[in-house]
Amino acid sequence: AYEIGSGLVGAEMCIRDRYESKQEQLDEQKKIIADQEKMLDEQQKELDRIAGIRSDLVKALRDEFSGSSLNVKIDEKTGAITFDAGVLFDVSDSELKEDGKKFINQFLPKYCSVLLSDDYRDYVSEIIIEGHTDTNGSYIYNLELSQQRAFSVARYCLTESNGIISSGQEEQLRTVLTANGKSYSNPIYGDDGEVDMDASRRVEIKFRLQDEEMIDEMMDILKDK
């Protein structure tokens, strides 16, 4: 009887140990899940904060250019501004036309008054000037042309003697401005599904916010949840 009783006690202890071990595992899993939920909640709050800043910036840009004679298109979601390259350059040329310089003279002060204002400049990590071409010619030829056009715009914006913006704004702009050529990698299509050559020849100016790469990664994570 003693042996039987000892066996039962041993079995009970073994079952209890296994139960406690399982319970510890469950508690650890619950803690991990709770930590993940907290992290996702914090990430969502950060996403909402960044989205709110971008939304405010887009609205401020829209207000600034409303009623302006400048023919610019503002993307309602990203704040990217597009203008016809024909305003700035002759066909297959990267040298700014006089009309193009006049356009920038009017455009840049308005743009900088928003992006480099006290309300937003601390949030802006990069301002990008992008050149885009139509699909005529080779990719490399158009890559070089689009890059040269973007650089021509950037150089004109940052030429101090032009006096387009204040010296303080110019100094701030130098820290965030970049120029990229995109060749015909992102053409514009018409309703008929064909490439709209005129619309594809364009210059875009866009901005990135602080920690935006991290935000993009966070958004990918949240999409998978």
Side-chain angles (χ1 to χ4, degrees):
Y2 174 77
E3 291 179 356
I4 294 173
S6 297
L8 289 173
V9 170
E12 289 176 355
M13 290 179 64
C14 183
I15 292 171
R16 185 181 64 191
D17 289 344
R18 284 204 301 262
Y19 172 80
E20 290 177 349
S21 176
K22 288 290 184 181
Q23 189 63 46
E24 288 177 359
Q25 291 177 12
L26 286 173
D27 290 342
E28 182 63 27
Q29 289 175 350
K30 287 179 180 178
K31 183 179 183 301
I32 292 172
I33 292 172
D35 290 342
Q36 288 178 337
E37 288 177 344
K38 181 181 178 181
M39 180 187 70
L40 289 174
D41 183 59
E42 290 173 352
Q43 290 176 338
Q44 186 62 59
K45 288 179 181 177
E46 183 66 6
L47 283 173
D48 292 341
R49 185 183 72 84
I50 294 295
I53 294 169
R54 181 174 291 279
S55 178
D56 291 344
L57 256 171
V58 172
K59 182 180 183 302
L61 285 170
R62 193 170 58 244
D63 292 344
E64 181 66 28
F65 285 99
S66 65
S68 168
S69 60
L70 295 171
N71 183 25
V72 298
K73 299 176 182 176
I74 303 176
D75 188 291
E76 294 293 325
K77 292 182 178 180
T78 67
I81 295 181
T82 303
F83 31 90
D84 185 350
V87 174
L88 305 176
F89 308 100
D90 288 324
V91 176
S92 300
D93 196 0
S94 61
E95 196 69 30
L96 276 170
K97 299 191 298 185
E98 288 304 314
D99 285 346
K101 293 177 181 178
K102 292 177 182 177
F103 178 89
I104 296 174
N105 289 347
Q106 297 177 64
F107 171 84
L108 192 62
K110 288 182 171 293
Y111 190 76
C112 289
S113 71
V114 176
L115 268 292
L116 302 181
S117 68
D118 292 342
D119 290 335
Y120 300 114
R121 65 185 175 203
D122 289 339
Y123 297 110
V124 176
S125 63
E126 191 175 24
I127 295 175
I128 309 118
I129 296 173
E130 282 187 355
H132 296 261
T133 68
D134 60 31
T135 54
N136 282 328
S138 71
Y139 182 87
I140 294 299
Y141 167 79
N142 282 293
L143 182 62
E144 184 177 7
L145 177 62
S146 61
Q147 179 67 54
Q148 289 174 343
R149 286 180 167 179
F151 179 73
S152 289
V153 174
R155 179 175 56 191
Y156 187 77
C157 290
L158 293 175
T159 299
E160 187 175 355
S161 59
N162 291 332
I164 307 173
I165 53 179
S166 70
S167 58
Q169 288 176 322
E170 186 178 324
E171 184 177 348
Q172 293 169 26
L173 190 59
R174 288 180 187 275
T175 65
V176 295
L177 189 66
T178 60
N180 297 324
K182 304 296 285 186
S183 188
Y184 52 64
S185 60
N186 190 19
I188 302 297
Y189 292 91
D191 294 335
D192 58 0
E194 298 295 323
V195 173
D196 185 328
M197 296 298 213
D198 290 335
S200 295
R201 293 189 291 270
R202 67 197 189 278
V203 172
E204 294 182 1
I205 183 165
K206 53 184 67 176
F207 60 85
R208 289 180 65 82
L209 300 177
Q210 296 286 353
D211 300 325
E212 194 156 352
E213 289 184 3
M214 180 190 72
I215 296 299
D216 291 341
E217 293 177 2
M218 286 162 52
M219 290 184 71
D220 290 338
I221 292 173
L222 290 174
K223 286 178 183 176
D224 295 335
K225 297 300 179 182

